[in-house]
Amino acid sequence: QVQLVESGGGVVQPGRSLRLSCAASGFTFSSYGMHWVRQAPGKGLEWVAVISYDGSNKYYADSVKGRFTISRDNSKNTLYLQMNSLRAEDTAVYYCAKDLWELLLENAFDIWGQGTMVTVSS
Amino acid sequence: SSELTQDPAVSVALGQTVRITCQGDSLRSYYASWYQQKPGQAPVLVIYGKNNRPSGIPDRFSGSSSGNTASLTITGAQAEDEADYYCNSRDSSANVVFGGGTKLTVL
């Protein structure tokens, strides 16, 4: 079945780095844009970043620009989020999500992972 | 990317109709998508495009848009519809923004 499984979350000190992974299965990963979305405890959804199907285009929320890097390995059906210079306000559940439309970058996310928790604390 | 504004909370009597709105300048150019999120679960896409439902979403969910406002309507709300609802939209550079969310209570 179509599935996204995140991993790599944990507790990290402010200023340190963490890399999240999202393993995809059940669909042609290399044909779809992929997103990261986060949700701080008790708060709403916040879009973080998107990468096009071939990795050629990447866009970021202002809150993470210059600190986070989205990437993908289509040979491994895996999406990544490299998070550097982490801050307390980056504490959240991080979800990866698949774009509905093949080859396009849109705002309809039809498949979501279960999320991985990142806690930034000393 | 511009902001999207949602009412924080809305309530509806069981079996009645409720409209959840989302306002923002980007909605003049791009359709909103709508997501349902229940406690402890990942969001689920319920409406996208002009008024499209993914497979498995009941037809009591519908979407509409006018000017800078998008709406999600639940016709005949059920107890299982109690959840948080989020809209999102995009800009010309594929940046995405989410609304703050609306907590729906079914009375």
Side-chain angles (χ1 to χ4, degrees), chain B residues 41-65:
Chain B
Q41 298 183 17
V44 173
L45 179 67
V46 295
I47 291 289
Y48 65 92
K50 189 173 184 180
N51 180 19
N52 300 293
R53 283 175 290 105
S55 174
I57 301 301
D59 61 5
R60 63 179 178 271
F61 290 88
S62 63
S64 62
S65 185

Side-chain angles (χ1 to χ4, degrees), chain B residues 52-101:
Chain B
N52 300 293
R53 283 175 290 105
S55 174
I57 301 301
D59 61 5
R60 63 179 178 271
F61 290 88
S62 63
S64 62
S65 185
S66 178
N68 73 335
T69 302
S71 300
L72 172 70
T73 299
I74 307 174
T75 303
Q78 302 299 302
E80 60 264 32
D81 299 334
E82 186 162 291
D84 293 328
Y85 290 86
Y86 295 90
C87 62
N88 77 355
S89 183
R90 56 161 292 180
D91 64 16
S92 58
S93 297
N95 293 295
V96 174
V97 62
F98 280 92

Side-chain angles (χ1 to χ4, degrees), chain A residues 42-121:
Chain A
K43 302 297 185 182
L45 301 174
E46 180 187 14
W47 176 79
V48 172
V50 62
I51 185 168
S52 60
Y53 68 98
D54 60 356
S56 62
N57 293 293
K58 306 174 185 181
Y59 301 94
Y60 299 91
D62 289 342
S63 58
V64 306
K65 201 172 293 182
R67 299 187 300 122
F68 290 11
T69 302
I70 190 171
S71 63
R72 65 191 298 160
D73 185 337
N74 285 344
S75 69
K76 296 182 178 179
N77 290 345
T78 303
L79 174 73
Y80 302 100
L81 185 67
Q82 178 66 43
M83 305 185 295
N84 298 332
S85 303
L86 282 161
R87 305 167 180 168
E89 54 263 37
D90 296 319
T91 294
V93 174
Y94 285 73
Y95 296 100
C96 59
K98 168 187 167 292
D99 214 298
L100 174 65
W101 301 106
E102 197 171 3
L103 305 181
L104 298 177
L105 294 180
E106 291 291 343
N107 59 298
F109 307 161
D110 64 332
I111 304 297
W112 295 66
Q114 85 288 351
T116 188
M117 183 71 202
V118 173
T119 302
V120 183
S121 173

